[in-house]
Structure formats: C-alpha cells, structure tokens
Amino acid sequence: MASARLAKAMKSHEERTATEPRDKSLHPVLLDTITPVNSRIKRYRFSIKDENGINFLPGQWLDVHVPGIEKAGGFTITSASGHAKPTASDDEHVPFLELAVQKSPDNPPAAWLWQIEESIVGKELDVRVGGSFVWPPPGVDMDKIKRAVFIAGGVGINPLISILSHIRKEHPSIEARFLYSTKVPSKDAEPSQVLFLLQLLDLFRKPRDEQSNNRLELFFTGAWDGSQLNRKDDEPVHPLMSLTIPKLDLETEVPVVSRTHRIDEAALSSAVGDDEQQIRASVFYVCGPPRMTDSIVEFLRAQNHVLHEQVLCEKWW
C-alpha cells in the first residue's frame, strides 16, 4: 500500500487524474490577488476573461497551466460556483475563481505561484475544470437528502469549503455538520491564520433565537512550532480555544466546539447519529491525507444504515 501511494505521488497531477472527467476547453484567467494565510498557505484569486464565466460543480479542481512550465498543476477550486458566472443583479461583478495553495518547492506549478507577488500578479494562466468529487453527490437521490456531513483534514478542506458555501446559499434547508482537523502555526495563532476558519465561522453563524442542528467541530491536532495546545489551568485561553466562548454579540452565535486531538471514533459516531431515518437522509464527504481518509471512510461505511454511495471521498496527494 505504501509503495503504491509513493508511486502515485511521483506522478504528475494530470497522470494521477487521467481517469477523472475533465472539460475539453482551456480558459484564460488573470491572477488578481494573493493573500497569505500563514507561512505555509496562500490564497489566490483569478479573474475570468471569458465574459460568460466558467461552469464548474462545487468540489472540482483545476488543471492550472502556468507560464513556462509544461505540465499542469492540480489545485482545488475553493470559491463557490456562483462566483464564476456573471450575475444579472450586479453589473460590476467580475467572475472569478479562488484557490488555496500550500507551499511546495518540489511542485513546479505551486512553486511558480509562490514567487514574489509583484512578479506574477497580473499574469495570464490557462485553466481547465475537472474532477468527480462534487455536489450534488453522483448516484444519490437528492430528493431524499436532508443532511450533509463534511470531514476535512488539513488542506482537504479546499473542496469542502466550496461545497459548503454552495449549500448554505442554494440549499439552506439542508442540515450541515462540519468536522475540521488541522495543525496550526502555534498555540497563539489567530483564527485568521487557520485556512478558511473565519469563513467557516461565518457560514455557520445564525441568529441566537434560531433552532438549528447545524454544527461546526474543530480539531486542532498540534502546532507547527511544537508549542503545546492543551491549556493548563493557570494559563490564559489562547485565541483558537476562545472560539468556544460566546462573543459579545447579542444578535448571532456560532454553534462551534474546539478540541485538541484528532477526529476520533466518538466524534464520527456522533456525526453519523443513531436515527435510521436521519442516516438514510445523509451524505458524508471526506477529504484529507490518504491514511486519514481511508480510515474514516472505512469507519463510516461500516456503520448501520450507511450505504456505500452515501460516503464520498477525495485523496490525491
């Protein structure tokens, strides 16, 4: 198994995804802005040159052709699909795509994107849409789906944030539960330094008097600098753990809990639930490092009343 994963990792993005569906057309885009998240991840916004925008399904990725590099890189679209199309209600809206790219000097397209900002902003690139890890889930009767459970590990959040953004806007009646496991820069990291954390908090924000089963669960598994996340009684609450403390906002709140361990079977069992009708009406999306994804998918599919096609996963790094 390990040798197979290594062999796959040695292949280019296009070789790894050769059997995946992808569009025939390349689309020119302009790199507009680069926003650092932390020392390891940056977010990129590309304006779409085609006046008709680009069609894609939430969860899909892009073949990204950067100048001077023969082979395309593969990066998941993190923006909502509606942002990539012109809107009749807003004449000033410029269709765009967003990506979040982890620093990877050994990946030529990623290394190109991690150049000095001034040298690449405004450059034109070509992109192609592909991938089958999408919303709506293939082979599932959407008339029966009332609930979506998302389980993300690290940058595996990329396709899931696009899917969740789409659901919250287009299908707000679908109950959402999101489990996000990630390391953080340090124990004193601010929420803005955790990829898509602020966006997640906004997507789950609700009026205080609204009854909802939506839930966000955060699992901070360690710090890059080796600092300890577990708080002692005589230490102040650091910024990430303080997410569980109600903010001074009389109008809204976020149903969120944060923990300092990996997503375990207890958390997964709670996310699945024990109500057969609810389980039958659920879909489960899993995206993270291969070992994490494999173990979680295996656990979910072994639960009572969970059908194979209700559990979808993405793993290609």
Side-chain angles (χ1 to χ4, degrees):
M1 182 67 74
S3 60
R5 284 184 177 140
L6 179 60
K8 184 176 181 180
M10 295 292 289
K11 295 180 178 180
S12 70
H13 156 70
E14 290 175 297
E15 290 170 330
R16 292 196 305 271
T17 61
T19 60
E20 288 285 296
R22 52 179 19 100
D23 287 354
K24 295 180 180 180
S25 302
L26 282 170
H27 301 274
V29 296
L30 292 178
L31 176 53
D32 278 343
T33 59
I34 302 173
T35 305
V37 177
N38 50 52
S39 63
R40 299 188 182 190
I41 301 172
K42 294 180 181 180
R43 295 176 64 177
Y44 298 79
R45 176 175 288 206
F46 302 86
S47 60
I48 298 170
K49 296 188 70 175
D50 187 336
E51 63 180 12
N52 295 317
I54 295 176
N55 292 315
F56 74 91
L57 292 173
Q60 290 191 295
W61 38 256
L62 294 175
D63 294 335
V64 178
H65 295 266
V66 302
I69 296 176
E70 180 181 357
K71 293 184 178 181
F75 306 105
T76 302
I77 305 169
T78 58
S79 48
S81 53
H83 292 151
K85 300 290 290 182
T87 59
S89 60
D90 184 358
D91 293 338
E92 297 184 359
H93 170 73
V94 177
F96 67 87
L97 298 165
E98 287 189 348
L99 306 175
V101 179
Q102 189 164 278
K103 189 175 184 179
S104 181
D106 295 332
N107 179 335
W112 188 93
L113 288 167
W114 267 77
Q115 294 181 90
I116 297 172
E117 180 176 339
E118 290 77 10
S119 68
I120 58 174
V121 168
K123 296 287 187 180
E124 181 175 307
L125 298 80
D126 290 318
V127 300
R128 186 196 322 270
V129 174
S132 58
F133 182 69
V134 299
W135 182 275
V140 175
D141 184 354
M142 285 305 297
D143 290 337
K144 298 179 180 179
I145 298 304
K146 309 298 181 186
R147 180 172 177 263
V149 178
F150 302 97
I151 303 167
V155 292
I157 193 174
N158 285 356
L160 302 185
I161 196 69
S162 176
I163 295 172
L164 179 67
S165 299
H166 173 81
I167 290 175
R168 301 299 286 152
K169 179 177 175 57
E170 303 295 337
H171 308 281
S173 63
I174 291 181
E175 178 187 323
R177 186 155 178 169
F178 205 111
L179 287 67
Y180 180 21
S181 171
T182 187
K183 286 188 175 183
V184 298
S186 73
K187 72 173 185 177
D188 298 317
E190 295 291 334
S192 61
Q193 294 176 286
V194 180
L195 182 61
F196 295 121
L197 180 51
L198 292 180
Q199 189 170 339
L200 278 173
L201 295 172
D202 282 341
L203 287 169
F204 278 91
R205 187 169 299 281
K206 67 180 184 67
R208 286 188 177 272
D209 59 356
E210 178 183 289
Q211 297 298 315
S212 171
N213 291 320
N214 294 327
R215 181 180 175 88
L216 173 61
E217 299 179 51
L218 306 171
F219 298 81
F220 301 121
T221 58
W224 301 337
D225 64 359
S227 57
Q228 297 298 310
L229 297 184
N230 291 310
R231 186 175 65 87
K232 298 179 181 178
D233 291 339
D234 59 346
E235 291 180 340
V237 177
H238 57 76
L240 293 174
M241 293 301 101
S242 69
L243 290 169
T244 60
I245 298 176
K247 301 295 187 293
L248 296 177
D249 182 346
L250 299 179
E251 302 297 328
T252 66
E253 63 181 351
V254 180
V256 55
V257 295
S258 53
R259 303 181 175 92
T260 53
H261 60 75
R262 296 179 184 274
I263 298 172
D264 54 19
E265 290 189 359
L268 293 173
S269 295
S270 175
V272 173
D274 55 13
D275 181 274
E276 179 178 355
Q277 185 174 357
Q278 176 181 272
I279 295 172
R280 297 290 191 191
S282 301
V283 288
F284 303 86
Y285 280 78
V286 186
C287 191
R291 288 183 180 177
M292 171 188 171
T293 300
D294 287 345
S295 62
I296 290 177
V297 168
E298 181 180 5
F299 179 87
L300 293 174
R301 287 178 174 166
Q303 302 310 295
N304 291 334
H305 314 303
V306 175
L307 302 178
H308 187 279
E309 60 267 23
Q310 289 177 264
V311 183
L312 299 92
C313 69
E314 175 88 305
K315 50 172 185 175
W316 50 287
W317 66 89

